[in-house]
Amino acid sequence: MSDNPITPKKNKIKLKKHKNLTIVETFVGCGGAHLGFKKNGFKTIFVNDIDKNMIDTLITNKCVKKEDTFTCPIDELSNDTILEKVNSRSLDVIFGGIVCKGFSLAGVRNPFDKRNYLYKEQLRLVELLKPKVSVIENVVGFKNMTIYRENDNTIQVFKDYCELSDLNKKLNGEKSARRKLKQNYNDLSAQIKENKNKMEILLETIKQFKYNIFEEIESIYTKLGYKVYSKVLEASNYNGYTHRKRLIIVAVRNDIKKEYIFPEEQQKFTLIDALNKIDYENSNNPNIDIDNQPMKHGEKTVNRFKLIPEGKNIAEVMDSVPEELKISKFFSRGNTQRLDRNKSVPTLVPGHSNFPIHPWEHRSITVREAATITGFPLDYKFIGNHSSRCMQIGNAVPVYLADAIAQSIKKILM
């Protein structure tokens, strides 16, 4: 037998080599969606966000390079700057979780909130860069949101409406303060109601300028040469721990002939599955992992927590709560709700102290626990104060949902 190695046959099948898929992401936040796409081989061309802490979080975790970031409002990102950065490279995906404060069902939906119009900036980038696929992620309420065109007929109405809206915010703050002091606030309620009636009358005068944002986006995509697909996806259906629902709009350039199909539902997991991943004794020990340090709650707050059974909130047990620990039933989310270890987790509301209560310990869940529920790696570091870190996670696209979306998009690009 010859000692020479066997010479491979010349007609051996060659594996196809695929170029790196590329992505640009606006409103990138702390990287939930970006991690999901990078996991599927997408290379960053650039990312953009207004919040320095969020960009620093991305850089610290080596999710992106500093030179591939723009920390500024999207409307300050000029076409020339964008084109110089892209440098004629082909762009596969542009992803944007457009800021949704004006759309969220969890908050006040002000039709004149300037953030409601940021979709125009997102579509400006689509028109400029002509990506193969454009993705917009937002709250479910985005699909039915209507706003008003700004013109000579609406400018004064905008001004008057916003003044009344701001006044009601102030009055609601005073009302909340009186409620806590158990003082009468009927006069404030009457004033707020009167202002709301005035706001409705103002809107009636400009109803001919009202339009649906989702329909407008569909129309613009079509004019730019894209086919539009949309669906509400529940994160827990994609190997996830939270039943957060998001509207996903996928626009596919007309020259891409494969039909886009949203990802098939996969496994569901529960809170205990997420908590069991955390290494509380070693790498995620609170003495080592700052993101796993519990908040220091006041004695009254802890005593209130003790009265809330697993899977319940304060509103459900208020009648049995001692008078000195009672709060308004209005506060039924956030840290007045105790999680159920055997169920998936509700949407995590961003904010300093709004994370829900741990299922068996008398404290709100930590930044690390919230991050793990959202799908971030156990060693992912969040930059900023406690409030900022909570907000970053509360605003993030769950990593596992982004992973599933990236996989479905990859199928039509490869």
Side-chain angles (χ1 to χ4, degrees), residues 64 152 186 270 282 310 354:
V64 299
D152 291 341
N186 290 341
T270 62
N282 298 298
E310 186 169 346
N354 273 343

Side-chain angles (χ1 to χ4, degrees), residues 1-9:
M1 184 181 289
S2 170
D3 290 328
N4 293 330
I6 297 172
T7 305
K9 293 181 180 178

Side-chain angles (χ1 to χ4, degrees), residues 3 31 68 71 133 197 210 225 237 274 300 385 390:
D3 290 328
D68 295 333
T71 309
V133 179
N197 289 336
K210 187 195 297 190
N237 291 328
K300 267 192 174 182
N385 60 27
C390 288

Side-chain angles (χ1 to χ4, degrees), residues 9 30 45 56 102 139 156 216 272 348:
K9 293 181 180 178
C30 62
I45 290 183
D56 287 346
V139 293
Q156 186 58 46
E216 173 97 342
I272 195 67
L348 295 173

Side-chain angles (χ1 to χ4, degrees), residues 51-61 71 381 383:
D51 192 308
K52 184 178 183 300
N53 284 333
M54 294 188 181
I55 294 295
D56 287 346
T57 293
L58 292 170
I59 295 167
T60 298
N61 291 283
T71 309
K381 307 296 182 188
I383 305 302

Side-chain angles (χ1 to χ4, degrees), residues 71-250:
T71 309
C72 63
I74 188 172
D75 54 354
E76 291 181 11
L77 204 53
S78 73
N79 289 356
D80 288 344
T81 299
I82 293 167
L83 292 173
E84 183 181 354
K85 182 63 184 173
V86 174
N87 193 24
S88 302
R89 286 176 284 181
S90 171
L91 177 59
D92 292 297
V93 173
I94 181 167
F95 189 105
I98 304 171
V99 171
C100 60
K101 295 295 184 185
F103 309 128
S104 176
L105 295 173
V108 178
R109 305 208 311 182
N110 179 353
F112 305 131
D113 191 318
K114 288 184 178 179
R115 293 166 294 188
N116 292 352
Y117 300 88
L118 290 175
Y119 74 90
K120 294 182 179 182
E121 295 298 327
Q122 185 72 17
L123 294 176
R124 170 176 67 92
L125 268 63
V126 173
E127 183 175 11
L128 180 69
L129 299 175
K130 300 289 191 298
K132 292 173 185 171
V133 179
S134 172
V135 184
I136 289 176
E137 173 268 348
N138 217 292
V139 293
V140 176
F142 184 89
K143 198 161 189 176
N144 299 315
M145 181 70 181
T146 56
I147 55 175
Y148 297 79
R149 301 194 188 281
E150 190 169 353
N151 55 42
D152 291 341
N153 297 291
T154 59
I155 287 173
Q156 186 58 46
V157 173
F158 284 11
K159 184 174 180 291
D160 294 343
Y161 183 100
C162 289
E163 283 177 2
L164 287 167
S165 177
D166 290 342
L167 178 56
N168 270 3
K169 284 179 188 174
K170 182 181 177 182
L171 292 172
N172 274 317
E174 292 175 16
K175 183 177 171 180
S176 177
R178 285 197 202 175
R179 187 192 292 121
K180 288 178 182 177
L181 295 170
K182 303 190 185 310
Q183 295 176 351
N184 186 289
Y185 49 82
N186 290 341
D187 58 325
L188 296 178
S189 295
Q191 178 79 53
I192 291 167
K193 185 178 179 181
E194 184 183 340
N195 289 343
K196 283 182 177 178
N197 289 336
K198 289 179 181 177
M199 290 160 75
E200 287 177 12
I201 293 168
L202 283 170
L203 294 184
E204 188 65 22
T205 66
I206 56 169
K207 63 182 180 181
Q208 67 269 38
F209 301 106
K210 187 195 297 190
Y211 68 98
N212 178 281
I213 296 178
F214 177 76
E215 291 173 0
E216 173 97 342
I217 288 173
E218 273 192 312
S219 173
I220 294 172
Y221 269 136
T222 301
K223 289 174 184 173
L224 292 176
Y226 288 82
K227 300 183 291 287
V228 183
Y229 307 80
S230 67
K231 189 175 182 180
V232 173
L233 302 183
E234 185 175 313
S236 62
N237 291 328
Y238 301 93
N239 300 316
Y241 312 101
T242 170
H243 48 262
R244 180 175 190 159
K245 292 182 179 179
R246 309 301 285 176
L247 173 67
I248 307 299
I249 305 169
V250 178

Side-chain angles (χ1 to χ4, degrees), residues 305-412:
F305 287 171
K306 289 177 180 178
L307 299 171
I308 305 172
E310 186 169 346
K312 304 288 184 181
N313 66 44
I314 191 74
E316 295 173 88
V317 296
M318 191 66 77
D319 293 340
S320 61
V321 173
E323 203 62 36
E324 69 272 13
L325 296 179
K326 280 190 176 178
I327 59 172
S328 169
K329 288 186 180 181
F330 174 79
F331 300 100
S332 60
R333 294 182 72 178
N335 72 359
T336 60
Q337 177 181 21
R338 190 182 288 279
L339 297 174
D340 186 328
R341 73 190 83 186
N342 296 313
K343 292 182 179 179
S344 59
V345 178
T347 299
L348 295 173
V349 180
H352 175 66
S353 58
N354 273 343
F355 281 158
I357 308 166
H358 191 278
W360 63 86
E361 294 185 11
H362 303 307
R363 59 171 177 82
S364 56
I365 59 172
T366 65
V367 169
R368 175 63 59 215
E369 288 163 342
T372 305
I373 290 165
T374 311
F376 286 94
L378 294 175
D379 59 352
Y380 206 76
K381 307 296 182 188
F382 297 88
I383 305 302
N385 60 27
H386 186 267
S387 179
S388 172
R389 289 180 286 138
C390 288
M391 184 182 68
Q392 290 178 50
I393 296 163
N395 285 333
V397 179
V399 178
Y400 35 82
L401 177 59
D403 180 16
I405 295 168
Q407 287 180 46
S408 67
I409 289 173
K410 201 172 175 181
K411 289 176 182 177
I412 66 168

